[in-house]
């Protein structure tokens, strides 16, 4: 990695392992984007890339004649209202009411390492393993400064980018829009890939050609949401899993965001990603600063799998901080789908006893252990043990620990029930417009996490319990989205800050708990995967992937999640059949094939198991111990493309030294045998020259496995059939 700066020509370039990202200050002072893609030689004359001839209806800044309109030049941080009619990346409103914003170059500096973003999750690296270029731009219309930071990392193709706004002026301004990420291209020959879905249907990858106009998705929910994810890929039309140019962008943020991809009238593309300007407005008083969330960008010339691998590696090394990130997670059993709210200490202990006998390593007590919560109508906020239900809780946990099991507990810290002691005491802590209609979801309201006293209360209550009882894991849930976003604690002029301050409050609570309990394993959750993002992964190394625990449904969910996020971060369990969400029954093997690809655990009533089920579970536990190092640390490849138009999917993990491989192939829905196309599992990422041996003794060269593959027609001939192949090289 390197950063190249030419002070005379005001040219800047970032070099990663395999890419170059270049910028140059243009004739009218704006910072222009020169190019981003495979490595180039920056000593070449690239000036033509930042010149544009006259274009009709495209105004140019004074002194530019009729050329170099900001409306056609590729920008790094497009201003507002001064000649660029495309979507903009920053808009600052001055005291005189004008929002015209034109950031022009002022200075730059380069330094080792990268600073943390105050109150926000962001990538981190040792000073020697990362360098940062900071370019300061000044708004011609207000004097406010934008400090654009780009960091590059050793052995990575990821670039981290964020913007800091500094108000060095003597008047208060309002930030109406600030995108973390902007990337302009002079063509639009891309497909857009992005994760979309819904509750229990998260992160299904959508691929579509870009078209003229704006393609936009995002969230106004106050959290990232189940519907989309704050990331996308722009892929060359011919790009596939293992070949072609692809560009990825991912926001390290857990609140409302927007992703906008605009194909303009000259067939150029502008991509933006950042906090959603809808319902956002930040007052910046003289001397104050505002930090945008960080965006990560990545380029690969070798297709989507290579992009995902870069993203996985970066998230593991530079985003997830937890001491658990490289550790094998305890196999857990969660009582939710086993009991829902209907349990007592005896039932929980019985599950724990059975779990211990099967080799399961942790019991997680889900919703319903606190206040008077026997259904979802009450008690959120009252994080005190329901002793009627659970008796002496500390003693119960001790007994569970004595079985050799760890103990974990469910919380939904950000929520409050109207029927709760907390609400009786602090109705003003609810996020709502006082005296006006408010919206309920799952019968619950939301705490105003922008208030310091709310975060303090939650920290003290949760930390109090953690100090008293040996809790080694927390499932941190969030089961509704924000509505009536208004804080009684903030003045009228700052109501546009509440949604972002809420997210900062959530981050602060996480931070304080982790400072106090550094070894605590937190699993994020939001009605399943409604807040699965790199921001949360900074605090929680794993996130419950989806409330849809049906293994068949999990295929596109987990594969879609893998576009950006590592397998070790995906919460995945074996659940009961018929499945509670879909009514479908599939084999234990099939359920394990999916769950073993994530954190692994159980979500069913194991006390009801037959002897045969006990045997199967013990085998699965052994499989977890055998394969999990590879799943956590190996390189992941999606292999489904090899199956053409069959109803099958496949994926594999390959160890760093390419000695060990685990492949999974699944058939979702079978067709009558005589109608089935032949199915060949074609591997990727192997060493072509090595000989790999399967557990049945067959051996093949890596080249054969990758180019011809193994026939799995018979193994995948039934509905929800699967095959797991473990190979070792000599
Ligand atoms: C959410 C979670 C579930 C479970 C319930 C409890 O839906 O995703 O796993 O914890 O809440 O209410």
């Amino acid at each position: 990695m390197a950063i190249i700066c030419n002070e005379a020509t005001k040219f800047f370039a970032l070099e990663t392992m395999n890419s170059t990202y270049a910028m140059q200050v243009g004739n009218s002072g704006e910072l222009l984007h020169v190019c981003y893609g495979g490595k180039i030689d920056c000593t070449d004359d690239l000036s033509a890339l930042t010149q544009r001839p006259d274009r009709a209806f495209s105004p140019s800044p004074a002194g530019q004649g009729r050329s170099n309109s900001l409306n056609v030049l590729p920008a790094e941080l497009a201003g507002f209202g001064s000649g660029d009619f495309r979507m903009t990346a920053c808009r600052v409103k001055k005291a005189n009411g004008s929002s015209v914003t034109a950031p022009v170059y002022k200075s730059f500096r380069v330094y080792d390492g990268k600073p943390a973003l105050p109150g926000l999750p962001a990538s981190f690296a040792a000073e020697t393993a990362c360098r940062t270029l900071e370019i300061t731009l000044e708004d011609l219309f207000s004097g406010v400064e934008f400090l654009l930071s780009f960091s590059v990392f050793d052995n990575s193709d990821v670039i981290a980018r964020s913007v800091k706004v500094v108000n060095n002026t003597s008047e208060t301004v309002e930030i109406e829009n600030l995108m973390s990420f902007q990337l302009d291209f002079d063509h639009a020959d891309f497909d857009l890939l992005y994760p979309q879905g819904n509750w229990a249907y998260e992160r299904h990858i959508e691929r579509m050609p870009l078209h003229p106009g704006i393609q936009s998705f995002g969230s106004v929910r106050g959290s990232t949401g189940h519907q989309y994810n704050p990331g996308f890929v722009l892929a060359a039309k011919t790009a596939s899993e293992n070949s072609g140019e692809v560009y990825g962008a991912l926001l390290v943020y857990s609140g409302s965001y927007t992703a906008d991809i605009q194909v303009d009238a000259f067939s150029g593309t502008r991509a933006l990603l950042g906090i959603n300007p809808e319902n956002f407005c930040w007052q910046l008083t003289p001397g104050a600063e505002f930090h945008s969330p960080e965006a990560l960008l990545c380029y690969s010339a070798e297709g989507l799998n290579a992009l995902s691998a870069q993203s996985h590696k970066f998230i593991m090394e530079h985003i997830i901080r937890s001491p658990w990130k490289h550790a094998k997670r305890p196999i857990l059993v969660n009582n939710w789908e086993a009991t829902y709210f209907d349990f007592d200490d005896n039932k929980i202990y019985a599950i724990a006893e059975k779990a211990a006998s099967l080799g399961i390593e942790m019991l997680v007590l889900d919703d319903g252990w606190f206040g008077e919560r026997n259904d979802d109508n009450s008690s959120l906020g009252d994080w005190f043990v329901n002793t009627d239900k659970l008796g002496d809780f500390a003693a119960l946990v001790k007994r569970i620990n004595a079985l050799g099991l760890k103990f974990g507990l469910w919380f939904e810290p950000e929520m409050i029930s109207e029927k709760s002691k907390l609400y009786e005491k602090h109705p003003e802590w609810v996020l709502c417009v006082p005296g006006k209609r408010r919206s309920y979801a799952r019968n619950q309201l939301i705490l105003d996490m922008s208030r310091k006293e709310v975060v303090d209360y939650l920290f003290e209550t949760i930390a109090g319990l953690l100090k008293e009882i040996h809790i080694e894991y927390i499932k941190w849930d969030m089961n509704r989205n924000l509505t009536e976003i208004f804080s009684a604690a903030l003045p009228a002029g700052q109501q546009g800050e509440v949604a972002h301050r809420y997210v900062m409050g959530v981050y602060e609570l996480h931070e304080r708990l982790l400072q106090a309990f550094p070894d605590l394993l937190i699993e994020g959750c939001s009605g399943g995967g409604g807040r699965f993002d790199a921001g949360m992964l900074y605090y929680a190394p794993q996130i419950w992937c989806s409330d849809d625990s049906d293994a068949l449904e999990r295929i596109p969910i987990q594969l879609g999640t893998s576009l950006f996020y590592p397998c070790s971060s995906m919460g995945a369990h074996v659940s009961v059949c018929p499945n509670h969400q879909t009514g479908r029954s599939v084999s234990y093997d099939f359920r394990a094939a999916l769950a073993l690809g994530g954190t692994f655990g159980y979500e069913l009533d194991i006390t009801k198991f037959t002897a045969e089920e006990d045997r199967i579970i013990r085998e699965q536990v052994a499989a977890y111990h055998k394969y999990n190092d590879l799943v956590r640390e190996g390189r992941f490849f999606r292999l489904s493309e090899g199956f053409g138009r069959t109803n099958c999917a496949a994926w594999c993990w390959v160890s760093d030294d390419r000695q060990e491989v685990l492949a999974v192939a699944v058939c979702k829905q079978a067709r009558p045998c005589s109608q089935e196309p032949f199915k060949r599992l074609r591997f990727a990422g192997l060493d072509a020259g090595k000989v790999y041996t399967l557990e049945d003794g067959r051996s093949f060269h890596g080249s054969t496995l990758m180019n011809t593959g193994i026939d799995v027609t018979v193994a995948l001939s039934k509905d929800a059939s699967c095959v797991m192949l473990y190979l070792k090289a000599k």
Side-chain angles (χ1 to χ4, degrees), residues 196-456:
Q196 63 81 37
N198 212 332
W199 174 75
Y201 192 80
E202 297 90 339
R203 292 175 298 286
H204 286 235
I205 300 300
E206 194 72 27
R207 180 170 184 159
M208 58 174 69
L210 287 186
H211 56 77
I214 297 161
Q215 287 106 107
S216 178
F217 64 90
S219 161
V220 288
R221 295 166 179 272
S223 82
T224 39
H226 300 85
Q227 292 70 17
Y228 311 100
N229 199 258
F232 58 86
V233 172
L234 291 175
K237 287 183 181 299
T238 50
S240 62
E241 289 289 10
N242 295 319
S243 70
E245 286 197 298
V246 289
Y247 296 85
L250 186 68
L251 195 63
V252 186
Y253 189 54
S254 315
S256 298
Y257 70 93
T258 187
D260 304 296
I261 297 96
Q262 178 172 25
V263 176
D264 65 31
F266 307 105
S267 295
T269 302
R270 167 164 293 173
L272 299 166
L273 184 61
I275 291 183
N276 200 328
E278 190 89 28
N279 200 18
F280 170 81
C281 183
W282 195 275
Q283 245 183 32
L284 208 62
T285 50
E289 299 177 353
F290 179 82
H291 291 263
S292 81
E294 182 169 274
L296 307 175
L297 48 153
C298 184
Y299 164 83
S300 166
E302 288 166 11
L304 296 162
N305 271 327
L307 187 85
S308 298
Q310 278 294 316
S311 180
H312 298 176
K313 185 166 157 261
F314 190 83
I315 287 176
M316 285 292 274
E317 286 175 14
H318 302 292
I319 293 286
I320 302 179
R321 293 178 302 168
S322 169
W324 283 96
K325 71 173 161 183
H326 289 297
K328 210 178 189 187
R329 314 290 156 74
I331 302 175
L332 68 83
V333 60
N334 178 305
N335 73 305
W336 179 240
E337 290 193 13
T339 66
Y340 293 105
F341 292 103
D342 185 17
F343 59 82
D344 58 16
D345 49 347
N346 290 330
K347 177 73 194 177
I348 296 304
Y349 187 72
I351 296 177
E353 245 184 338
K354 184 66 190 268
S357 78
L358 295 172
I360 294 172
E361 298 157 317
M362 178 161 73
L363 181 129
V364 176
L365 180 55
D366 210 280
D367 196 353
W369 59 268
F370 52 92
E372 292 166 15
R373 188 150 164 108
N374 294 313
D375 54 34
D376 60 15
N377 287 312
S378 82
S379 303
L380 294 168
D382 296 348
W383 303 111
F384 308 104
V385 178
N386 182 340
T387 45
D388 289 347
K389 225 166 163 175
L390 290 165
D392 182 344
F393 193 50
L396 173 66
V397 174
K398 273 198 189 125
R399 284 167 66 215
I400 291 173
N401 286 162
L403 293 167
L405 253 62
K406 294 181 188 299
F407 182 79
L409 200 57
W410 180 95
F411 286 91
E412 201 181 352
E414 300 148 68
M415 299 295 150
I416 179 165
S417 305
E418 210 163 17
K419 250 166 76 186
S420 68
K421 299 256 177 322
L422 184 63
Y423 186 82
E424 278 167 26
K425 226 168 135 189
H426 288 296
E428 78 285 6
W429 282 4
V430 169
L431 201 65
C432 67
V433 184
K436 301 289 179 195
R437 189 183 73 178
R438 53 196 190 184
S439 306
Y440 292 75
R442 214 189 183 210
N443 308 315
Q444 62 202 51
L445 296 165
I446 305 181
L447 284 169
D448 179 357
M449 296 293 289
S450 74
R451 292 173 83 125
K452 189 182 170 307
E453 61 275 32
V454 170
V455 175
D456 286 347

